[in-house]
Each structure stands twice: as C-alpha cells, then as structure tokens.
Amino acid sequence: MKKIISLAAAILLSAILFSGCGSDNVTCLNVYNWGEYISDGSEGSFDTIREFENWYFENYGQKIKVNYDTFASNEDMYNKLSNGAVSYDVIIPSDYMIDRMRNEGMLLPLNYENIPNYQNIDDSFRGLYYDPENLYSIPYTYGVVGIIYNANKVDEADAKGWDLMWNEKYKGDILQFNNPRDAFATAQYKLGLDVNDLDHEKWELALTEMKKQFPLVKSFVMDEVFNMMEAGEASVAAYYAGDYFTMADNQADSVDLRFYYPERTNYFIDAMCIPSCCQNKELAEIFINYMLSPEAAIANAEYISYASPNSAVYNDPSYAEDMGEEAMEILYPGIENFNELYNTYSFRNLGPETLIYLVNLWEQLKIS
C-alpha cells in the first residue's frame, strides 16, 4: 500500500532534514535519489557523499553537509515535491517524469559553466525527448526492465517473454511493480500495445490483462523486491536489470537467480536535475559535476550495477574487467542502436487526463 505522508509529518521531516544547516558555517545540500542508487561506503566501497564533502572542503575551504534521502518511485518523488512541504537541491527522476516536471515548471535550467564534466556524457544521451535542448537534466544511469527468476523454482522452459509473469504454475510466487506506470507496462508489452497510447480503450485491454494476473501476484513491491527475491520468498519479478546483480550477489544458498529480457520492454534513463524548490543552485551544480567525475562515476556504476551514459565509465578497462563479461552483456544490450530502442520503448509523459485515468484503473485493479 502506498504510504500517505501527512502535512505535519512532512513538515517534521523537513525540520529534521535541515537540522544543523547554517550553523557553524555549514552549508547543506539536500539530495533526493532512488534507494540503493549510490556508492555509500558499505563493505569498503567508495563513500560518494562523504568524499564529496571532503573534496568540497579541500577545494573551497567551506564545510558542507549532504542530507541524502531516498524515494521508491517517480510518483512518490513527484507527490512529495509538488506538495511543497520539503525542499531538495538535487533529484534523480526518470525520463518521463522529467518531461512532466519540466512542462509544469518544477525544474530549473542548468548552468553548464559549473558542470564541465558534462563532456563525459555520450552524444547518444543528449537531445532526447524529455529534455530536447539539454537544459534541465544530465543522465546518471540508464537501463532496461527484465524478468528475474529463481531457477530452483522456475522451469527454464517457462522463462521466456512476459508470459512467465502470468503463468498459473507460479501463483503466489510472482512479484509485480507497485506503481501503475511500470505495472501496466508489463501487460501492454505482453499484448504488443503502445505504452504511450492515449486511447482509453487500449488501456482497458491492459486492465483486463492485469486482472487476469492479479490472483497470481504474491505482492506489489518496489525496493522490497530485493529481500524477497534474495531470500527465495518469491520466484518471479519484473525489475530493473541493474538490480539483478545486487540480488544475485546477496541471494541465499537455496536461491539461484537468473535474468532475461522479454522482446518488448521498457528502456529508461534516470537523470540528475535541480528542482525549482532548490535552495543552493550553484552547490547543486557542483555536486552534479562531481558525480560525473571519473572516480565518482565509476564507483557509483560498479556499486549499483546500472549502465552508465558516462564515457569515463564504460571506456575504462578496469570497470569492464571488474563487472565481468556477463554483466556487460546484460547492462549494455543493443548499445550500438540505443537511440532507436529508446525511442521505441521508453515511457513518455501521458498528460494529465490519461494520468488521472491510469490512477483510476490502478485503483480498480487493487480492489478487484
């Protein structure tokens, strides 16, 4: 069930987030990112936040504190920012949400004089539909949605296409996305429908397919998918390719996780942006520039196991060696024609009328 944050709770969270800011000559930067989406110093990894704080002090002679908060879905992030109760300086939404926020005036244009490392971003990731003039966003990661399954529970012959997510043999052992856009997309790709179609009749077809799946689903999840798949509490889940490696690394001895791509599936980009509620834009741009530096970008890409649009990452021989051949094949499929695949299968902003209609369909599904 989606958590509803009351205004009082949001104000309290804001107070906690900003505690200590401005005191003892400390400037705070508030970052809002996906869960499990940055190298955080655990198990001896590069601690991106702490290293940035140290780097800033060494180069600017000023103490800063990065307050790092996480969200589970684009919709959760959007709702939190749109209610105006909490302010962030850097956010990392997905492409279709960037398009929506840009159109609604929720993003600030970037000053590239403060972001010279933008030169590391490959041309294939510039001028895309959600930010055609590259004014509001800089790609952080990209990827493809696939299906993760436990080979100890799932027959290999069944592990193909989207049909596995609807296979009655695995009733009560299937996990589905807990957000309407990603969840309905699995049905739309299965049926060969356009995920960006504004025709309500086509969405009704997807709803019918989702209702067929509903009795088979163990749970609707986002970040909960990690523990459940790793522990063998579920055997089938649609999720992002990069997260497969995290799950495989942490799987129980009784679990054998595998991964494959259906023929039609979602290609996405998550990008760094500065929301209109930002309190320190220049510092936010300096942080984004640091995230694009070779040291930080390689560390983050290795830690989160997502594909990087940063040439300093994928052109680094040690990165490819550390990730391994299988990981590189899964993370960078069809990179030579990325633009074509992305333009065909990525989400677009549906517009307010269709978004409201989708939420209504989602509510119908949940009470079916």
Side-chain angles (χ1 to χ4, degrees), residues 23 247 254:
S23 62
M247 297 180 205
S254 60

Side-chain angles (χ1 to χ4, degrees), residues 54 71 90 142 229 254 274 304 323:
N54 294 335
F71 56 87
V90 178
Y142 75 98
M229 292 298 292
S254 60
I274 298 178
I304 66 177
M323 295 302 294

